[in-house]
Amino acid sequence: MEKKDHIISILVHNKPDVLARVAGTLGGKGYNIDSLCVNTTTQNDISKIVMTTSGSQSTITRIENQLQRLVDVISVDDLTNVESIHREMVLVRLNLTAENSEAVKNAVDMNKWKVIVSGDTYVIIEITGDKRQVDFSLARLEPLGITDITRTGLVALTLED
Amino acid sequence: MKLKGTEIFLKALEEEKVDIIFGYPGGAVLDLYDQLYQSNLRHILVRHEQGAVHAADGYARATGKVGVCLVTSGPGATNTVTGIATANMDSIPLVVFTGQVPTGLIGNDAFQECDITGITRPCTKHNFLVRNIEELASTIKEAFHIARSGRPGPVLVDLPKNVMAAQYDYDPANVKIRNQEAIYKPAPKKMANVLDMLNAAKKPLIMTGGGVILGKASDELTLLARKYEIPVTGTLMGLGSFPGTDPLWLGMLGMHGTYYANMAVSHCDFMLAVGVRFDDRVTGSIETFASNAKIVHIDIDPSSINKNVTIDLPIIGDTKATLKDILRFLEEHHYTQDAGSRAEWLRELAEWREKVPLSYCQNGEVIKPQYVIEKLQKLTKGDVLITTDVGQHQMWTAQFFNFDRPNTFVSSGGLGTMGFGLPAAIGVKCAFPDRQVVAIAGDGSIQMNIQELATAAQYNIAVKVVLLNNEFLGMPRQWQEMFYNKRYSHTDMTYAPDFVKLAEAFGVIGLRATKPAEVETVLEQGLAADKPVLMDFRISREECVYPMVHPGGSITQMTLGSREMIN
Ligand SMILES: Cc1ncc(C[n+]2csc(CCOP(=O)(O)OP(=O)(O)O)c2C)c(N)n1
Ligand SMILES: [Mg+2]
């Protein structure tokens, strides 16, 4: 069966160890987590976990069912096939040298990247977008001399309830 | 009214109608044990914490109630892990209380500290660390609720010492929990599908599993099968959910299933699978499993559906409620089986049964294990609660004892835990002191929890151990015989204690039979005693369990045993 990336949104009771339970359920059953974002919702006692993983539809159904078994899990939704928007963010640090600073400046202007801080020898750029956009920007930054990046997991929200 | 944590603990257990706990003390739970000293709650002091969990498990399997344990922190807690994993695999409701170091010391590698909630996360249904006294009563209530509701399972509650020493207001009326278990209602339109499939079927088969026993749905299942003449096979965990002496009963399916049950599975065109999870020991190769059948699968746990076998019609629901709905629907729609095709199917099954019955040959001067089991059934008239260890003796019990009632066969199916039988029998006997309780044990397995003979002796818990002693780790030996050219690598158990003397040293009656002629006398004597007894049956050393499906092969590819058995 066809393997696909899936975005799973999980509402959980904000209880001790809930993240360990979710992650452990997947790891222990041999499923991979590609990215993970966790934070509270507008309700303090409820958190949302957005997770990306890949697999065939039957694998994903199995993952959803395993997660549903957890006492602290309220709901599990696969957002892949519903209308939803996706964003992730990456912070990129570039080394500035005599040779590249002109090229960096041009690239930043041309791509409308957001520079958060810059010093004599470095610049930190923030890129936000869906996975494709972020990958695209990173590919353009690559030749300019990236020294480090930090990438968040994907967050996603459905258009309607 | 302000109460101490330890008092709240006992009151909370009282609220849950707990009448017995199995436990073992230690530093972190001494306050609790001090409270027990002045309480009427029955406590059985085991000799190893694993024994406590298996005893609570046996109690739970035989009664359908939640089994309860209490142990100390660190090694006391880690010793429970095998027992918890055993219960988890078979969905048995337990609440295991572990002591913990004071909250201020957690994370410091304090003496006898261990992260037992972390360790047991993958093998419990849920677990809790009680961080403060305010949460104590509600956590205990929630733990029992979770253990027994939905698909049951073990729940661990970790109790830091300082929490148990703290004081708090306790009023059972004010203890609230969240209700997390959704009530599944079987969808009505699915009933129509079941009817259509049954109408189309010429060779229907019911496969019953542990979920029928846990869901207390045996009566409904039996009614359905008998009313519409549908033959029944079952998993190890399903034994007793349909009467083993009924002509419609085909015996167990799977790796050591009967020839005719496995043939029925492969030839049926409709399968109603109830409360099963299609374990690989049951299905053999998935591709060939029931490949001619439309499969309806009833289970309370959505994660069981389509996990191993692809299902045509899943019905997520309580087994009892769903079977009731099916019965009602079939009745309302005047379903009747086509007499001609049903007779044809039953005749086909009878032919297979006649061709390769379950059989063995008790000749000569060596006791055959199957003979002991048949004699046990005869002498008890089947009115007995049986536990087993794990290995050949477990399979022979499953094959040769006909379990007529649910909750009478207590065995570790999913995890296959050696050493389960004796402590589980102690738990069963505590629940049913007036009934005959027999642990059918292996010589390897019994040595894993033999210390529990002391527990049985101390409280005069009159369990009867039927030791099928082949001086081998028989099951792996059988695999070595069949797949490793008889290279018996480390499965010979000839070096063993004299079990009769050992029993006597524990204060338990020890008996021995070495010849077939002695079997009945020893059983009679052992069963008649009102004290715990260990009966050492010296059986044929290299007897094999047949039929045997080759691992990973189709369940129709069975080694049936020697010619004399097939005749
Ligand atoms: C705790 C544990 N360790 C190892 C095994 C693997 N194993 C399965 S059956 C068996 C042998 C059991 O020997 P015995 O109790 O004498 O039973 P028999 O097969 O001889 O009837 C072993 C070692 C197991 N199931 N459980
Ligand atoms: Mg043995």
Side-chain angles (χ1 to χ4, degrees), chain A residues 45-102:
Chain A
D45 53 348
I46 292 180
S47 285
K48 188 187 269 186
I49 299 176
V50 179
M51 177 188 95
T52 60
T53 181
S54 72
S56 63
Q57 189 52 52
S58 66
T59 305
I60 300 301
T61 307
R62 228 172 285 171
I63 289 177
E64 289 179 79
N65 285 335
Q66 290 295 345
L67 290 173
Q68 287 283 14
R69 280 179 72 178
L70 296 177
V71 167
D72 285 331
V73 166
I74 301 164
S75 66
V76 183
D77 291 296
D78 184 357
L79 302 187
T80 316
N81 300 322
V82 290
E83 275 199 294
S84 54
I85 54 145
H86 311 152
R87 285 292 178 274
E88 61 185 304
M89 187 173 100
V90 57
L91 298 176
V92 185
R93 188 177 64 230
L94 298 172
N95 247 353
L96 288 184
T97 60
E99 292 86 64
N100 77 350
S101 56
E102 196 57 31

Side-chain angles (χ1 to χ4, degrees), chain B residues 109-372:
Chain B
D109 293 336
F111 178 63
Q112 296 194 329
E113 177 191 354
C114 106
D115 176 13
I116 195 63
T117 48
I119 289 173
T120 58
R121 210 178 282 133
C123 63
T124 48
K125 184 173 174 189
H126 196 62
N127 61 25
F128 297 94
L129 167 63
V130 181
R131 283 159 203 275
N132 52 61
I133 183 83
E134 292 84 356
E135 299 170 359
L136 178 62
S138 61
T139 303
I140 293 175
K141 185 165 180 171
E142 201 167 337
F144 277 86
H145 174 74
I146 292 169
R148 65 166 82 93
S149 59
R151 177 177 177 171
V155 178
L156 181 139
V157 183
D158 204 15
L159 304 169
K161 195 171 164 117
N162 60 319
V163 172
M164 301 317 284
Q167 299 223 331
Y168 193 62
D169 281 321
Y170 176 73
D171 175 359
N174 287 338
V175 181
K176 298 277 184 304
I177 60 169
R178 29 181 196 143
N179 191 18
Q180 53 273 96
E181 213 80 44
I183 310 292
Y184 292 112
K185 276 201 102 175
K189 67 170 188 290
K190 299 212 167 178
M191 298 300 134
N193 296 344
V194 173
L195 174 64
D196 290 345
M197 288 161 104
L198 259 178
N199 269 325
K202 293 198 161 54
K203 302 178 174 192
L205 180 68
I206 292 175
M207 171 177 169
T208 178
V212 174
I213 293 172
L214 291 166
K216 303 182 172 63
S218 295
D219 289 347
E220 288 74 11
L221 185 116
T222 305
L223 182 62
L224 182 73
R226 284 181 174 162
K227 189 164 175 191
Y228 302 114
E229 281 189 289
I230 308 173
V232 185
T233 180
T235 65
L236 183 75
M237 300 312 295
L239 296 183
S241 60
F242 182 80
T245 48
D246 191 294
L248 287 168
W249 174 245
L250 301 173
M252 187 170 72
L253 79 164
M255 178 164 282
H256 291 300
T258 63
Y259 174 77
Y260 35 100
N262 285 343
M263 293 303 276
V265 170
S266 301
H267 288 79
C268 68
D269 60 3
F270 170 81
M271 176 186 270
L272 180 65
V274 193
V276 300
R277 58 186 177 83
F278 299 102
D279 179 276
D280 50 280
R281 281 285 188 273
V282 161
T283 60
S285 84
I286 292 290
E287 298 74 43
T288 54
F289 181 80
S291 49
N292 298 311
K294 290 254 178 278
I295 306 180
V296 177
H297 184 190
I298 304 173
D299 203 274
I300 197 160
D301 179 3
S303 77
S304 293
I305 308 268
N306 284 326
K307 184 170 69 175
N308 302 326
V309 167
T310 310
I311 300 303
D312 297 286
L313 179 68
I315 305 181
I316 294 163
D318 174 68
T319 47
K320 190 181 185 80
T322 309
L323 287 172
K324 271 200 161 120
D325 278 12
I326 291 178
L327 278 166
R328 193 179 317 117
F329 194 90
L330 295 182
E331 175 117 23
E332 280 167 12
H333 292 77
H334 310 293
Y335 168 73
T336 47
Q337 65 274 35
D338 173 58
S341 71
R342 193 58 48 89
E344 176 72 20
W345 173 225
L346 293 176
R347 192 168 62 241
E348 202 174 346
L349 292 169
E351 276 165 19
W352 283 322
R353 197 192 290 253
E354 205 171 310
K355 185 171 157 212
V356 189
L358 269 183
S359 65
Y360 68 96
C361 200
Q362 178 58 71
N363 52 10
E365 280 303 282
V366 189
I367 301 172
K368 290 292 172 78
Q370 302 93 331
Y371 177 71
V372 180

